[in-house]
Each structure stands twice: as C-alpha cells, then as structure tokens.
Amino acid sequence: ANFSLGVTVFEEVLKQITPILKDSFDIEVIEKHHNKKLDAPSGTAKMLVEAIDPDHEFERVYGRSGASKRGKEIGVHALRGGTIVGEHSVIFAGEDEVFEIKHEAHSKNIFVNGAIKAAEFLVGKPAGLYIMHDVLFSK
C-alpha cells in the first residue's frame, strides 16, 4: 500500500505495541491527504488498521456522528484538503494518557526512494510476492 520506509517501520511498530495496549486504550486512526485524492480512507490507513487488528477483533467505525457509546472499535477518519501529500496518525487513548504515532510525507520523493530500495532488494531474489516489510526486516 505504501513504499515509504517510515510507513513500513510505523506498521511494524504497531504490530509490536498493539497487543500491549489494545485492551486498555481506545484506538483511532487519522489520515490526511490533498483535496484531489479520490479514495477514503487511504490504502495506507487501511494497512495500518490491519496491522493494529489483523484478527478483526475490533469493529471499524468510519468517521463519527450522532450519539453512541464507544464499543470495541477502531475509529478511522479521513481528511482531505489543500496539498497535503500524506499524514497518518494512530492514537492510543488510555486513562489519563495518550500515546500517538505519526508519519508525515512532505513530498512524493519518499515513495520513489522506497521503490528504489525495494528494487535493489529484489536483485537476485526468486520470483514471488514481496512486501516492504521484507525489504526492511528480512535477513
């Protein structure tokens, strides 16, 4: 979903910390992109939600309106405006504390840099399906 090296690390961090926090923290995902972006939520936001909840234990709630009691859910919020290249935040809100992880793309060059790193990784590899996690974390 994303060739950014930072987003790949973000995804890995979520996989490690969510099991520790998920039972006592509310989880919200917020993503921001430029006003020309067609999809919402973004593929990267969906990837982050999947990293947080690979077993689909939580209901996904897209946006908020009305009055309802919070359940076992992940809130997902998409904002569109201006020329924002991409910004993704995951908020773990607990009792008396908030833990937030955020990644900002300031240009589309980060995706090119990640794609080049992925291409270099593939040299000499057998045909198959690889993901950015393989590029950064396989030995």
Side-chain angles (χ1 to χ4, degrees), residues 8-28:
T8 303
V9 172
F10 191 172
E11 179 184 22
E12 184 64 23
V13 168
L14 289 173
K15 289 177 182 178
Q16 292 182 30
I17 67 170
T18 300
I20 298 165
L21 301 176
K22 70 180 184 178
D23 293 330
S24 54
F25 285 71
D26 297 324
I27 306 169
E28 299 284 316

PDB file of all heavy atoms in Angstrom, residues 8-28:
ATOM      1  N   THR A   8       6.599   1.835   6.598  1.00  0.00           N
ATOM      2  CA  THR A   8       6.888   0.412   6.835  1.00  0.00           C
ATOM      3  C   THR A   8       7.312   0.187   8.285  1.00  0.00           C
ATOM      4  O   THR A   8       6.867  -0.762   8.938  1.00  0.00           O
ATOM      5  CB  THR A   8       7.986  -0.080   5.871  1.00  0.00           C
ATOM      6  OG1 THR A   8       7.548   0.154   4.526  1.00  0.00           O
ATOM      7  CG2 THR A   8       8.270  -1.561   6.070  1.00  0.00           C
ATOM      8  N   VAL A   9       8.137   1.084   8.817  1.00  0.00           N
ATOM      9  CA  VAL A   9       8.540   0.991  10.227  1.00  0.00           C
ATOM     10  C   VAL A   9       7.336   1.250  11.127  1.00  0.00           C
ATOM     11  O   VAL A   9       7.140   0.554  12.138  1.00  0.00           O
ATOM     12  CB  VAL A   9       9.694   1.978  10.526  1.00  0.00           C
ATOM     13  CG1 VAL A   9       9.992   2.037  12.021  1.00  0.00           C
ATOM     14  CG2 VAL A   9      10.942   1.581   9.742  1.00  0.00           C
ATOM     15  N   PHE A  10       6.509   2.222  10.775  1.00  0.00           N
ATOM     16  CA  PHE A  10       5.280   2.545  11.509  1.00  0.00           C
ATOM     17  C   PHE A  10       4.423   1.291  11.650  1.00  0.00           C
ATOM     18  O   PHE A  10       3.969   0.944  12.744  1.00  0.00           O
ATOM     19  CB  PHE A  10       4.557   3.627  10.720  1.00  0.00           C
ATOM     20  CG  PHE A  10       3.394   4.326  11.390  1.00  0.00           C
ATOM     21  CD1 PHE A  10       2.837   5.428  10.755  1.00  0.00           C
ATOM     22  CD2 PHE A  10       2.848   3.935  12.598  1.00  0.00           C
ATOM     23  CE1 PHE A  10       1.771   6.107  11.300  1.00  0.00           C
ATOM     24  CE2 PHE A  10       1.773   4.612  13.157  1.00  0.00           C
ATOM     25  CZ  PHE A  10       1.234   5.701  12.505  1.00  0.00           C
ATOM     26  N   GLU A  11       4.211   0.594  10.541  1.00  0.00           N
ATOM     27  CA  GLU A  11       3.400  -0.626  10.541  1.00  0.00           C
ATOM     28  C   GLU A  11       3.997  -1.673  11.486  1.00  0.00           C
ATOM     29  O   GLU A  11       3.278  -2.308  12.263  1.00  0.00           O
ATOM     30  CB  GLU A  11       3.320  -1.169   9.112  1.00  0.00           C
ATOM     31  CG  GLU A  11       2.521  -2.443   8.987  1.00  0.00           C
ATOM     32  CD  GLU A  11       2.550  -3.003   7.572  1.00  0.00           C
ATOM     33  OE1 GLU A  11       3.471  -2.687   6.782  1.00  0.00           O
ATOM     34  OE2 GLU A  11       1.653  -3.791   7.257  1.00  0.00           O
ATOM     35  N   GLU A  12       5.300  -1.840  11.447  1.00  0.00           N
ATOM     36  CA  GLU A  12       5.961  -2.827  12.306  1.00  0.00           C
ATOM     37  C   GLU A  12       5.823  -2.457  13.782  1.00  0.00           C
ATOM     38  O   GLU A  12       5.561  -3.313  14.632  1.00  0.00           O
ATOM     39  CB  GLU A  12       7.434  -2.951  11.923  1.00  0.00           C
ATOM     40  CG  GLU A  12       8.177  -4.024  12.687  1.00  0.00           C
ATOM     41  CD  GLU A  12       7.676  -5.434  12.426  1.00  0.00           C
ATOM     42  OE1 GLU A  12       7.058  -5.687  11.369  1.00  0.00           O
ATOM     43  OE2 GLU A  12       7.897  -6.305  13.301  1.00  0.00           O
ATOM     44  N   VAL A  13       5.976  -1.179  14.106  1.00  0.00           N
ATOM     45  CA  VAL A  13       5.820  -0.722  15.492  1.00  0.00           C
ATOM     46  C   VAL A  13       4.403  -1.010  15.983  1.00  0.00           C
ATOM     47  O   VAL A  13       4.207  -1.488  17.111  1.00  0.00           O
ATOM     48  CB  VAL A  13       6.168   0.787  15.608  1.00  0.00           C
ATOM     49  CG1 VAL A  13       5.741   1.349  16.951  1.00  0.00           C
ATOM     50  CG2 VAL A  13       7.652   1.002  15.380  1.00  0.00           C
ATOM     51  N   LEU A  14       3.402  -0.739  15.134  1.00  0.00           N
ATOM     52  CA  LEU A  14       2.011  -1.020  15.519  1.00  0.00           C
ATOM     53  C   LEU A  14       1.803  -2.496  15.829  1.00  0.00           C
ATOM     54  O   LEU A  14       1.102  -2.841  16.785  1.00  0.00           O
ATOM     55  CB  LEU A  14       1.052  -0.574  14.422  1.00  0.00           C
ATOM     56  CG  LEU A  14       0.888   0.930  14.249  1.00  0.00           C
ATOM     57  CD1 LEU A  14       0.038   1.226  13.023  1.00  0.00           C
ATOM     58  CD2 LEU A  14       0.291   1.569  15.491  1.00  0.00           C
ATOM     59  N   LYS A  15       2.391  -3.357  15.035  1.00  0.00           N
ATOM     60  CA  LYS A  15       2.250  -4.803  15.266  1.00  0.00           C
ATOM     61  C   LYS A  15       2.836  -5.207  16.618  1.00  0.00           C
ATOM     62  O   LYS A  15       2.346  -6.130  17.254  1.00  0.00           O
ATOM     63  CB  LYS A  15       2.935  -5.592  14.149  1.00  0.00           C
ATOM     64  CG  LYS A  15       2.205  -5.527  12.833  1.00  0.00           C
ATOM     65  CD  LYS A  15       2.974  -6.260  11.742  1.00  0.00           C
ATOM     66  CE  LYS A  15       2.266  -6.162  10.404  1.00  0.00           C
ATOM     67  NZ  LYS A  15       3.022  -6.831   9.321  1.00  0.00           N
ATOM     68  N   GLN A  16       3.870  -4.494  17.044  1.00  0.00           N
ATOM     69  CA  GLN A  16       4.516  -4.831  18.306  1.00  0.00           C
ATOM     70  C   GLN A  16       3.808  -4.232  19.522  1.00  0.00           C
ATOM     71  O   GLN A  16       3.722  -4.881  20.568  1.00  0.00           O
ATOM     72  CB  GLN A  16       5.983  -4.387  18.281  1.00  0.00           C
ATOM     73  CG  GLN A  16       6.808  -5.188  17.296  1.00  0.00           C
ATOM     74  CD  GLN A  16       8.260  -4.777  17.308  1.00  0.00           C
ATOM     75  OE1 GLN A  16       8.795  -4.332  18.324  1.00  0.00           O
ATOM     76  NE2 GLN A  16       8.924  -4.923  16.166  1.00  0.00           N
ATOM     77  N   ILE A  17       3.301  -3.008  19.398  1.00  0.00           N
ATOM     78  CA  ILE A  17       2.739  -2.359  20.592  1.00  0.00           C
ATOM     79  C   ILE A  17       1.251  -2.606  20.789  1.00  0.00           C
ATOM     80  O   ILE A  17       0.769  -2.541  21.920  1.00  0.00           O
ATOM     81  CB  ILE A  17       3.021  -0.847  20.604  1.00  0.00           C
ATOM     82  CG1 ILE A  17       2.287  -0.131  19.482  1.00  0.00           C
ATOM     83  CG2 ILE A  17       4.510  -0.571  20.582  1.00  0.00           C
ATOM     84  CD1 ILE A  17       2.324   1.374  19.585  1.00  0.00           C
ATOM     85  N   THR A  18       0.519  -2.866  19.721  1.00  0.00           N
ATOM     86  CA  THR A  18      -0.929  -3.020  19.866  1.00  0.00           C
ATOM     87  C   THR A  18      -1.320  -4.136  20.823  1.00  0.00           C
ATOM     88  O   THR A  18      -2.215  -3.927  21.652  1.00  0.00           O
ATOM     89  CB  THR A  18      -1.611  -3.200  18.492  1.00  0.00           C
ATOM     90  OG1 THR A  18      -1.331  -2.044  17.695  1.00  0.00           O
ATOM     91  CG2 THR A  18      -3.114  -3.359  18.642  1.00  0.00           C
ATOM     92  N   PRO A  19      -0.676  -5.303  20.779  1.00  0.00           N
ATOM     93  CA  PRO A  19      -1.067  -6.339  21.749  1.00  0.00           C
ATOM     94  C   PRO A  19      -0.918  -5.890  23.205  1.00  0.00           C
ATOM     95  O   PRO A  19      -1.656  -6.331  24.075  1.00  0.00           O
ATOM     96  CB  PRO A  19      -0.119  -7.496  21.428  1.00  0.00           C
ATOM     97  CG  PRO A  19       0.233  -7.305  19.988  1.00  0.00           C
ATOM     98  CD  PRO A  19       0.305  -5.800  19.814  1.00  0.00           C
ATOM     99  N   ILE A  20      -0.008  -4.975  23.446  1.00  0.00           N
ATOM    100  CA  ILE A  20       0.225  -4.485  24.806  1.00  0.00           C
ATOM    101  C   ILE A  20      -0.856  -3.481  25.220  1.00  0.00           C
ATOM    102  O   ILE A  20      -1.292  -3.459  26.371  1.00  0.00           O
ATOM    103  CB  ILE A  20       1.616  -3.819  24.893  1.00  0.00           C
ATOM    104  CG1 ILE A  20       2.711  -4.843  24.574  1.00  0.00           C
ATOM    105  CG2 ILE A  20       1.843  -3.174  26.263  1.00  0.00           C
ATOM    106  CD1 ILE A  20       4.066  -4.231  24.273  1.00  0.00           C
ATOM    107  N   LEU A  21      -1.326  -2.657  24.270  1.00  0.00           N
ATOM    108  CA  LEU A  21      -2.213  -1.545  24.595  1.00  0.00           C
ATOM    109  C   LEU A  21      -3.687  -1.785  24.295  1.00  0.00           C
ATOM    110  O   LEU A  21      -4.547  -1.096  24.839  1.00  0.00           O
ATOM    111  CB  LEU A  21      -1.757  -0.287  23.822  1.00  0.00           C
ATOM    112  CG  LEU A  21      -0.334   0.194  24.088  1.00  0.00           C
ATOM    113  CD1 LEU A  21      -0.007   1.373  23.180  1.00  0.00           C
ATOM    114  CD2 LEU A  21      -0.129   0.547  25.546  1.00  0.00           C
ATOM    115  N   LYS A  22      -4.010  -2.730  23.439  1.00  0.00           N
ATOM    116  CA  LYS A  22      -5.368  -2.828  22.883  1.00  0.00           C
ATOM    117  C   LYS A  22      -6.474  -3.062  23.903  1.00  0.00           C
ATOM    118  O   LYS A  22      -7.608  -2.672  23.663  1.00  0.00           O
ATOM    119  CB  LYS A  22      -5.432  -3.911  21.805  1.00  0.00           C
ATOM    120  CG  LYS A  22      -5.299  -5.321  22.321  1.00  0.00           C
ATOM    121  CD  LYS A  22      -5.379  -6.318  21.192  1.00  0.00           C
ATOM    122  CE  LYS A  22      -5.340  -7.732  21.716  1.00  0.00           C
ATOM    123  NZ  LYS A  22      -5.466  -8.704  20.633  1.00  0.00           N
ATOM    124  N   ASP A  23      -6.179  -3.667  25.028  1.00  0.00           N
ATOM    125  CA  ASP A  23      -7.226  -3.956  25.998  1.00  0.00           C
ATOM    126  C   ASP A  23      -7.539  -2.793  26.935  1.00  0.00           C
ATOM    127  O   ASP A  23      -8.584  -2.789  27.587  1.00  0.00           O
ATOM    128  CB  ASP A  23      -6.859  -5.192  26.829  1.00  0.00           C
ATOM    129  CG  ASP A  23      -6.854  -6.457  25.989  1.00  0.00           C
ATOM    130  OD1 ASP A  23      -7.630  -6.540  25.009  1.00  0.00           O
ATOM    131  OD2 ASP A  23      -6.055  -7.371  26.295  1.00  0.00           O
ATOM    132  N   SER A  24      -6.642  -1.803  26.994  1.00  0.00           N
ATOM    133  CA  SER A  24      -6.879  -0.713  27.933  1.00  0.00           C
ATOM    134  C   SER A  24      -6.818   0.677  27.287  1.00  0.00           C
ATOM    135  O   SER A  24      -6.898   1.679  27.991  1.00  0.00           O
ATOM    136  CB  SER A  24      -5.878  -0.790  29.091  1.00  0.00           C
ATOM    137  OG  SER A  24      -4.556  -0.821  28.607  1.00  0.00           O
ATOM    138  N   PHE A  25      -6.692   0.734  25.968  1.00  0.00           N
ATOM    139  CA  PHE A  25      -6.642   2.006  25.264  1.00  0.00           C
ATOM    140  C   PHE A  25      -7.654   2.003  24.115  1.00  0.00           C
ATOM    141  O   PHE A  25      -7.845   0.992  23.448  1.00  0.00           O
ATOM    142  CB  PHE A  25      -5.251   2.247  24.662  1.00  0.00           C
ATOM    143  CG  PHE A  25      -4.195   2.644  25.664  1.00  0.00           C
ATOM    144  CD1 PHE A  25      -3.698   1.736  26.574  1.00  0.00           C
ATOM    145  CD2 PHE A  25      -3.688   3.937  25.679  1.00  0.00           C
ATOM    146  CE1 PHE A  25      -2.720   2.088  27.488  1.00  0.00           C
ATOM    147  CE2 PHE A  25      -2.716   4.308  26.592  1.00  0.00           C
ATOM    148  CZ  PHE A  25      -2.224   3.386  27.496  1.00  0.00           C
ATOM    149  N   ASP A  26      -8.301   3.143  23.889  1.00  0.00           N
ATOM    150  CA  ASP A  26      -9.110   3.327  22.687  1.00  0.00           C
ATOM    151  C   ASP A  26      -8.153   3.617  21.536  1.00  0.00           C
ATOM    152  O   ASP A  26      -7.110   4.249  21.731  1.00  0.00           O
ATOM    153  CB  ASP A  26     -10.074   4.502  22.861  1.00  0.00           C
ATOM    154  CG  ASP A  26     -11.080   4.258  23.975  1.00  0.00           C
ATOM    155  OD1 ASP A  26     -11.508   3.101  24.147  1.00  0.00           O
ATOM    156  OD2 ASP A  26     -11.437   5.227  24.667  1.00  0.00           O
ATOM    157  N   ILE A  27      -8.526   3.194  20.330  1.00  0.00           N
ATOM    158  CA  ILE A  27      -7.638   3.337  19.174  1.00  0.00           C
ATOM    159  C   ILE A  27      -8.344   4.125  18.080  1.00  0.00           C
ATOM    160  O   ILE A  27      -9.472   3.803  17.707  1.00  0.00           O
ATOM    161  CB  ILE A  27      -7.207   1.954  18.643  1.00  0.00           C
ATOM    162  CG1 ILE A  27      -6.597   1.098  19.760  1.00  0.00           C
ATOM    163  CG2 ILE A  27      -6.222   2.121  17.485  1.00  0.00           C
ATOM    164  CD1 ILE A  27      -6.400  -0.367  19.384  1.00  0.00           C
ATOM    165  N   GLU A  28      -7.660   5.134  17.573  1.00  0.00           N
ATOM    166  CA  GLU A  28      -8.172   5.965  16.483  1.00  0.00           C
ATOM    167  C   GLU A  28      -7.078   6.119  15.430  1.00  0.00           C
ATOM    168  O   GLU A  28      -5.905   6.304  15.766  1.00  0.00           O
ATOM    169  CB  GLU A  28      -8.576   7.351  16.990  1.00  0.00           C
ATOM    170  CG  GLU A  28      -9.670   7.350  18.034  1.00  0.00           C
ATOM    171  CD  GLU A  28     -11.047   7.088  17.452  1.00  0.00           C
ATOM    172  OE1 GLU A  28     -11.387   7.676  16.403  1.00  0.00           O
ATOM    173  OE2 GLU A  28     -11.798   6.289  18.054  1.00  0.00           O
TER     174      GLU A  28
END
